[in-house]
Amino acid sequence: GFDPNLNNSATSIVPQADGKILIGGHFTTVGGVARNYVARLNADGTLDTGFNPSAGNGVYSIALQADGQVLVAGDFTTMGSATRNRLARLNADGTLDSEFYPNFGGNVVAIALAPDGDVMVGGQFTSVWGRGTITTQRPYVARLNPDGSLDTGFTASANSTVAAFA
């Protein structure tokens, strides 16, 4: 039967159109094979061995974009060997999208895609910054443009952790 045999919890499960399944969580092995916090399964539950982005710590949420790119959110500060503070975008093959570079000053717990391609981000952070840009205060909720830059026109804030979007 279907048994990916994770050594710890999965916190996000996202099916893909081709039948494969993206998973994120607090595991470090899938079916006895090293996979740090994010992996892709084949439709039968076995590990897709060609997909290995390797997050530096736990993954809380995954979102699949219409173009096949994958957003991964959590409490990591690296994805593979690159610095990524709590949010990264992967290409369909699991390699890091080097052009998508937002950074969050605290854990990202929830992500959701808007119909226009914007990315809603919620969590335990109070600030957001990009590559070489000034830190902007955004308590617990932010909206990113499709390229990963902060949508400066969206200034909502919360007084505690945002854990989900509807």
Side-chain angles (χ1 to χ4, degrees):
F2 186 91
D3 182 10
N5 192 23
L6 307 178
N7 72 329
N8 206 330
S9 63
T11 55
S12 187
I13 301 169
V14 177
Q16 294 182 284
D18 63 1
K20 293 188 178 187
I21 304 162
L22 298 162
I23 58 172
H26 292 91
F27 54 85
T28 55
T29 66
V30 177
V33 178
R35 281 298 180 274
N36 291 326
Y37 311 103
V38 61
R40 185 166 59 194
L41 305 175
N42 296 307
D44 64 0
T46 60
L47 179 66
D48 176 351
T49 58
F51 185 92
N52 188 15
S54 191
N57 210 339
V59 169
Y60 296 122
S61 187
I62 296 175
L64 182 61
Q65 294 182 299
D67 63 2
Q69 289 184 301
V70 179
L71 294 170
V72 180
D75 62 359
F76 52 85
T77 56
T78 59
M79 186 64 68
S81 61
T83 298
R84 287 297 183 276
N85 289 304
R86 298 162 186 104
L87 183 64
R89 183 164 63 190
L90 307 174
N91 297 308
D93 65 359
T95 59
L96 185 65
D97 177 353
S98 62
E99 298 302 311
F100 187 86
Y101 205 90
N103 291 283
F104 289 84
N107 295 343
V108 174
V109 179
I111 48 179
L113 300 172
D116 64 0
D118 285 350
V119 181
M120 295 300 301
V121 183
Q124 299 166 326
F125 57 87
T126 56
S127 60
V128 182
W129 69 98
R131 187 179 352 214
T133 62
I134 297 171
T135 301
T136 304
Q137 297 302 305
R138 287 293 186 273
Y140 309 106
V141 63
R143 184 168 62 196
L144 303 178
N145 297 308
D147 67 358
S149 62
L150 180 65
D151 179 345
T152 57
F154 182 83
T155 59
S157 65
N159 63 3
S160 191
T161 301
V162 172
F165 292 103

